Amino acid sequence: MLHRLQFTAKKLVRMALLLLGVSLTAFLLMDASPLDPLQTNVGQAALGAMSPDQVAKLEDYWGVNTPAAERYLGWLSSALRGDLGTSLLYRRPVLEVVGQRLGSSLWLLLFAWAASGALGLAFGLIAGTHRGRWPDRLIRGFCLTLSSTPSFWLALLLLMVFAVWLEVLPIGLSVPIGAAAESVTLAQRLRHALLPALTLSVTGLSNIALHTREKVADVLDSDYILFARARGEGHILRRHVLRNVALPALTLQFASIGEIIGGSVLVEQVFSYPGLGQAAVSAGLGGDMPLLLGITVATAALVFGGNLAADLLYGVIDPRIRRGAART
Amino acid sequence: MESILTVEQLSVSFTRYSRGLARTELSAVRDLSLTVEPGRVTALVGESGSGKSLLAHAILHLLPRNAQVSGTLLYDGAPLTRDRAETLRGREIALIPQGVTWLDPMMKVGPQVRRGRVDAASRARCREVLDRYGLGPQVEELYPFELSGGMARRVLIACAVMERPRLIVADEPTPGLDVRTAKRILGHFRELAEEGAGVLFITHDLELALTVAHKLVVLYEGQTVEELSPTRFRAGEGLAHPYTRALWHAIPENNFL
Amino acid sequence: MRGNRRKTTLLLLIFAAGVLCALSLTGELLAETASAADFSRKNLPPCPACPFGTDWMGRDMLARTLAGLSLSLRVGALTAAASGAVALVLGTAAAALGGWADALISWVIDLVMGVPHILLIILISLACGRGFWGVTAGVALTHWTSLARLVRGEVLQLKETPWLRMSRRLGVSRSALLRNHLLPHLLPQFLTGVILQFPHAILHEASVTFLGFGLPPEQPATGIILEESMAYLTTGRWWLALFPGLSLVLLVVLFALIGERLRLLLSPAAAQE
């Protein structure tokens, strides 16, 4: 037990250091950017028309004149107190914007995460158990094509087919245009989230399927499967293959969090879905550094959190770790 | 005596890629013939790489798909086809493999020995066979990584005798064991033969084979070159093939010549 | 067992090299045509004269598509090579130096893997002021991690072989060991890794350009073409998005296929399949 606690504590410290590294890297990259936030947001013409006083006030607002180190330390100390600054575009606290956008993306992300994991596992199992035969060739070809397809183009295709050509699904957004948030029904929400969720599910699928296939192939080539066959065992797939593929599948599933979030940036942009990914693009294009920094740190936290969860679950599921730890 | 297993002119070859663009046929076993009689231990002796493990896999029809097999396999007087092997394996024909990697690392010993069955009869039989090899009830709750080398071999033997097989194929079941443990494991094979099963003991270790076998079959470069009794071999009588003579000379006490 | 896999792989490689040369050549030649507006033939759907149709400025979509692919290829090749170099240097350094250098490099790898690629590319591209160099730097600096891990593992393994340790003790020089032993062993794996990076690099470049953080709008990059097509989707001009995207997918599939084939050839387990 003590061993597990130590392990968890070590992982947590590492995660905190990594988050610190991510925030510093992101901050330095933004600081290095030659793009002038004033010009991007106010515009050359408007700037020219302003008095030096007004320009100075704006420069203060966008933080142009403070040294980088001071700004980072300032950001860090308030971040540790739970204040990630104020979004320049939305003029609201970053934490609030991130929270609200994440809330709107969450179902999309969760659905895509679960769907790509489940389908990927199923495809990987089918392909791995039919190695070299047509189901395997079919799935491998499908996965190769999928992983070679840019998700935003797939989104465009789906839009063209379902929204423009067949006119069965809406063009985008999370709710019908002009509808008040309270009056939107669940059915409407689902209809609007269907295409984005579908596109996003496909993003992570091929990676999980192909890796699962490799693992299944490894397991099927193992001595213990040969022995199970030599003993005339039935249900080898359920009894041995699934059991031994479960752990790698778990790792793959949690490792795909980053990919799903990355994909959501593109998919939300195409479908004008007001989620975290779309906010990241707006923040980047608009020079909203505090928001972009906040989003980067938040997504990194999700990814590292996923890794941590996988590590901890491993300790619970894998008898070699569970029992090994109990003995020492 | 009527043999339980007859192998005649078995050959096994593989297709594989060698360097460059060439594809070659690799023949691993060329001309293997032997018989196994009930109540006796037949030892197949050959150095590693001579293709002896392939025999075990060929008998059980477990060879990979790129393997081409020809020759005759008879079990209990009738051809051992794939269908027949599939119904017989685990019931009448049992394999005792090399070591702990042949146990599912994620499954406890008990369920593995019982092949997943949970009825009272299976539990009792499992208890019985594990007991026979000195493995207590706590062993059923262990995972393979928690077993010592000797324990793992005994678990594998227990797996094989669960169903009271008539033919036992033991494929190099002793490497990595100290001599005392290895001798004890071999003693178990002799016991199984005395109870009426035919035992095929495949090994590279001539001295171990001599201690346990009723009959010695020598495999050299994929061919069986000699079949004789251990007593005749020890005496060095009628060793026809140069490889067998080399084997005989390799035994320390014969070296004074 | 049908066909000989090695021969088909070789043919595929030759075919891909041909496509590569042809595309980069036509891209150069078509650069003019790709941005030449002709308002007399606006918004034409695909027809014999212009098989991919034309856009709202009368630009030929076939020329734009080919120019876009050639641009993608160049960015892809450059970024794959650059990320390969980063991976080689950091992977070897981590394995050879060990200790804190290894720990630091592993930490950086974890860090890069912790941020979704697309977000990190956006950040790096912003830092470089967007444009060609922004997106190239972004893609190159995010795609080296898995390859670096592979290099590190391989070098570590080689370091431990008894043969190598003995040669060191016998006084064979480091550079000779590197040249005669490490490199021949590492090179096939490494090159395959670089080729496998290629599809990812092309796709990420297109994605980031599509979002507006990559190549500038006046260039006929695939990302730009598709971004522009968004505005005309609802009016039913499907050809603006379909053909450029499809061509990109085909190009990427080609390289993914080659990478996959090479990987299979190198893996000992697959040699017998």
Side-chain angles (χ1 to χ4, degrees):
Chain A
M1 199 57 221
L2 190 67
H3 187 88
R4 298 301 301 160
L5 280 178
Q6 270 177 347
F7 173 80
T8 313
K10 234 185 243 171
K11 288 274 170 192
L12 276 173
V13 169
R14 187 171 172 84
M15 183 175 153
L17 278 176
L18 278 169
L19 272 180
L20 196 69
V22 166
S23 72
L24 182 61
T25 313
F27 182 86
L28 289 177
L29 285 171
M30 287 172 195
D31 189 58
S33 173
L35 303 176
D36 184 356
L38 256 67
Q39 296 214 353
T40 6
N41 285 288
V42 188
Q44 187 73 49
L47 269 181
M50 283 179 191
S51 69
D53 231 29
Q54 281 174 306
V55 173
K57 250 190 202 156
L58 277 172
E59 281 182 341
D60 270 355
Y61 178 71
W62 296 92
V64 175
N65 296 323
T66 332
E70 197 178 309
R71 268 183 296 143
Y72 179 68
L73 289 176
W75 178 86
L76 190 63
S77 68
S78 34
L80 290 176
R81 278 180 274 114
D83 173 18
L84 291 175
T86 307
S87 160
L88 306 175
L89 283 176
Y90 298 91
R91 294 174 190 270
R92 280 189 293 144
V94 166
L95 210 59
E96 199 184 305
V97 178
V98 169
Q100 188 220 333
R101 289 301 186 119
L102 190 60
S104 137
S105 291
L106 198 63
W107 292 112
L108 201 63
L109 294 173
L110 278 179
F111 175 83
W113 190 57
S116 62
L119 278 177
L121 185 66
F123 280 13
L125 280 171
I126 294 172
T129 47
H130 294 82
R131 224 168 354 149
R133 278 172 283 162
W134 67 265
D136 179 34
R137 285 160 180 272
L138 199 71
I139 288 174
R140 259 183 14 218
F142 176 66
C143 287
L144 191 77
T145 317
L146 264 191
S147 64
S148 303
T149 307
S151 52
F152 64 92
W153 183 66
L154 191 68
L156 287 176
L157 272 192
L158 290 175
L159 260 185
M160 282 198 292
V161 172
F162 289 101
V164 180
W165 186 35
L166 297 176
E167 295 182 33
V168 288
L169 288 168
I171 288 279
L173 301 171
S174 66
V175 295
I177 298 168
E182 310 82 59
S183 68
V184 182
T185 62
L186 187 67
Q188 278 172 326
R189 269 187 195 283
L190 282 178
R191 249 166 64 84
H192 279 263
L194 192 60
L195 282 185
L198 195 67
T199 322
L200 203 54
S201 311
V202 158
T203 317
L205 181 119
S206 69
N207 191 22
I208 293 186
L210 288 176
H211 277 101
T212 306
R213 176 188 175 274
E214 298 275 302
K215 291 293 164 203
V216 171
D218 284 350
V219 170
L220 284 177
D221 280 342
S222 69
D223 291 341
Y224 54 87
I225 294 296
L226 204 59
F227 190 44
R229 285 172 55 208
R231 298 181 71 201
E233 272 188 45
H235 308 293
I236 287 182
L237 185 73
R238 187 162 48 83
R239 268 169 58 76
H240 298 291
V241 178
L242 267 182
R243 188 184 291 264
N244 281 281
V245 164
L247 281 178
L250 194 77
T251 315
L252 280 173
Q253 182 64 22
F254 279 97
S256 74
I257 291 180
E259 202 181 353
I260 293 279
I261 295 178
S264 79
V265 173
L266 288 155
V267 171
E268 290 184 358
Q269 185 70 6
V270 175
F271 290 104
S272 326
Y273 191 92
L276 196 65
Q278 202 206 26
V281 176
S282 315
L285 291 174
D288 187 347
M289 297 306 172
L291 182 57
L292 194 51
L293 192 56
I295 291 174
T296 309
V297 172
T299 51
L302 285 177
V303 174
F304 294 138
N307 292 347
L308 184 70
D311 281 337
L312 294 180
L313 276 174
Y314 241 86
V316 177
I317 297 171
D318 191 342
R320 281 159 294 194
I321 300 180
R322 179 166 25 107
R323 295 253 179 124
R327 277 214 244 124
T328 44
Chain B
M1 196 191 304
E2 195 68 24
S3 68
I4 184 137
L5 177 78
T6 310
V7 181
E8 269 165 28
Q9 296 186 308
L10 181 81
S11 90
V12 180
S13 63
F14 294 94
T15 313
R16 67 162 72 215
Y17 292 94
S18 51
R19 235 180 140 71
L21 298 172
R23 209 165 74 184
T24 52
E25 294 282 313
L26 189 89
S27 91
V29 172
R30 278 179 302 166
D31 182 5
L32 197 159
S33 303
L34 59 78
T35 56
V36 179
E37 288 77 25
R40 288 160 65 86
V41 177
T42 303
L44 178 69
V45 184
E47 54 201 37
S48 22
S50 60
K52 48 192 192 314
S53 285
L54 293 174
L55 172 65
H57 295 180
I59 293 169
L60 290 155
H61 282 267
L62 289 174
L63 288 168
R65 275 189 293 151
N66 64 333
Q68 284 99 42
V69 185
S70 67
T72 318
L73 282 173
L74 298 176
Y75 173 77
D76 211 5
L80 189 55
T81 58
R82 174 172 290 270
D83 282 346
R84 191 148 174 254
E86 271 168 15
T87 53
L88 288 176
R89 61 197 187 194
R91 299 159 187 260
E92 290 194 17
I93 308 179
L95 173 74
I96 299 178
Q98 299 181 0
V100 72
T101 56
W102 294 70
L103 291 171
D104 185 335
M106 298 288 285
M107 197 187 267
K108 287 180 187 171
V109 166
Q112 295 208 60
V113 175
R114 291 194 296 271
R115 294 193 299 183
R117 279 176 304 189
V118 287
D119 54 299
S122 299
R123 283 184 182 280
R125 175 70 184 155
C126 168
R127 194 61 266 137
E128 192 185 326
V129 290
L130 285 175
D131 257 345
R132 174 174 173 182
Y133 297 111
L135 301 166
Q138 76 286 351
V139 176
E140 288 181 44
E141 293 302 311
L142 295 180
Y143 284 95
F145 80 100
E146 295 169 299
L147 301 173
S148 71
M151 275 165 94
R153 294 327 141 89
R154 281 180 281 157
V155 168
L156 290 170
I157 297 176
C159 286
V161 300
M162 252 314 260
E163 303 290 326
R164 303 182 176 87
R166 295 174 61 201
L167 173 65
I168 293 170
V169 181
D171 181 13
E172 294 269 15
T174 51
L177 295 184
D178 58 88
V179 179
R180 241 187 62 218
T181 321
K183 290 246 161 88
R184 206 170 64 213
I185 298 284
L186 294 181
H188 294 318
F189 292 158
R190 192 94 188 197
E191 260 170 55
L192 289 170
E194 276 154 19
E195 287 162 22
V199 178
L200 175 60
F201 173 46
I202 300 173
T203 183
H204 70 279
D205 193 326
L206 181 65
E207 290 189 55
L208 279 181
L210 286 172
T211 62
V212 66
H214 297 96
K215 183 171 71 181
L216 212 60
V217 178
V218 180
L219 188 70
Y220 178 64
E221 289 191 337
Q223 287 180 314
T224 37
V225 293
E226 200 122 32
E227 185 180 315
L228 71 175
S229 73
T231 3
R232 286 189 60 197
F233 181 86
R234 277 217 188 80
E237 282 169 28
L239 306 180
H241 196 274
Y243 179 67
T244 324
R245 281 200 292 276
L247 277 181
W248 187 79
H249 282 292
I251 295 177
E253 61 246 45
N254 298 337
N255 239 353
F256 56 86
L257 284 174
Chain C
M1 199 72 220
R2 11 178 147 49
N4 182 323
R5 193 196 281 142
R6 293 190 186 212
K7 275 183 194 147
T8 46
T9 306
L10 198 67
L11 284 178
L12 207 62
L13 260 175
I14 295 169
F15 178 63
V19 169
L20 200 94
C21 293
L23 263 183
S24 44
L25 213 70
T26 45
E28 278 300 312
L29 293 175
L30 287 173
E32 292 274 305
T33 334
S35 13
D38 178 358
F39 290 98
S40 66
R41 40 164 218 171
K42 288 189 293 185
N43 302 324
L44 288 179
C47 57
C50 39
F52 284 15
T54 63
D55 66 3
W56 65 99
M57 286 165 76
R59 294 177 295 193
D60 181 41
M61 287 311 287
L62 178 60
R64 284 179 75 70
T65 302
L66 289 175
L69 290 187
S70 120
L71 206 58
S72 288
L73 270 181
R74 262 176 286 165
V75 177
L78 196 63
T79 49
S83 64
V86 175
L88 192 60
V89 170
L90 290 184
T92 319
L97 299 176
W100 65 268
D102 191 13
L104 183 72
I105 290 170
S106 294
W107 188 77
V108 172
I109 290 177
D110 280 356
L111 195 145
V112 171
M113 284 184 155
V115 185
H117 276 178
I118 201 97
L119 212 53
L120 193 55
I121 300 174
I122 288 178
L123 284 170
I124 296 173
S125 185
L126 280 175
C128 303
R130 297 191 251 182
F132 177 81
W133 291 111
V135 68
T136 307
V139 176
L141 290 176
T142 46
H143 282 64
W144 54 274
T145 47
S146 50
L147 200 52
R149 276 196 180 155
L150 184 127
V151 171
R152 176 181 173 273
E154 288 293 323
V155 176
L156 270 184
Q157 204 189 338
L158 283 172
K159 247 174 83 174
E160 291 310 310
T161 52
W163 186 88
L164 206 69
R165 271 188 299 188
M166 193 146 78
S167 316
R168 287 282 299 276
R169 223 171 291 150
L170 289 174
V172 182
S173 80
R174 249 168 205 270
S175 64
L177 279 178
L178 201 70
R179 203 173 48 243
N180 299 329
H181 195 77
L182 261 177
L183 223 53
H185 185 89
L186 202 59
L187 209 61
Q189 301 232 33
F190 175 71
L191 286 181
T192 307
V194 171
I195 290 176
L196 280 170
Q197 296 289 313
F198 211 89
H200 289 274
I202 292 180
L203 288 179
H204 269 124
E205 179 271 313
S207 304
V208 171
T209 301
F210 174 80
L211 289 175
F213 296 94
L215 300 172
E218 59 274 13
Q219 281 196 309
T222 313
I224 297 289
I225 295 173
L226 292 175
E227 201 272 329
E228 287 173 349
S229 81
M230 282 244 292
Y232 297 89
L233 269 188
T234 43
T235 49
R237 289 187 206 143
W238 49 271
W239 61 90
L240 293 181
L242 183 65
F243 294 123
L246 203 58
S247 320
L248 184 72
V249 172
L250 287 178
L251 182 72
V252 174
V253 163
L254 180 66
F255 281 99
L257 214 58
I258 290 173
E260 193 54 32
R261 289 283 181 138
L262 284 176
R263 200 179 59 81
L264 277 182
L265 277 189
L266 284 182
S267 83
Q272 289 160 36
E273 261 179 39

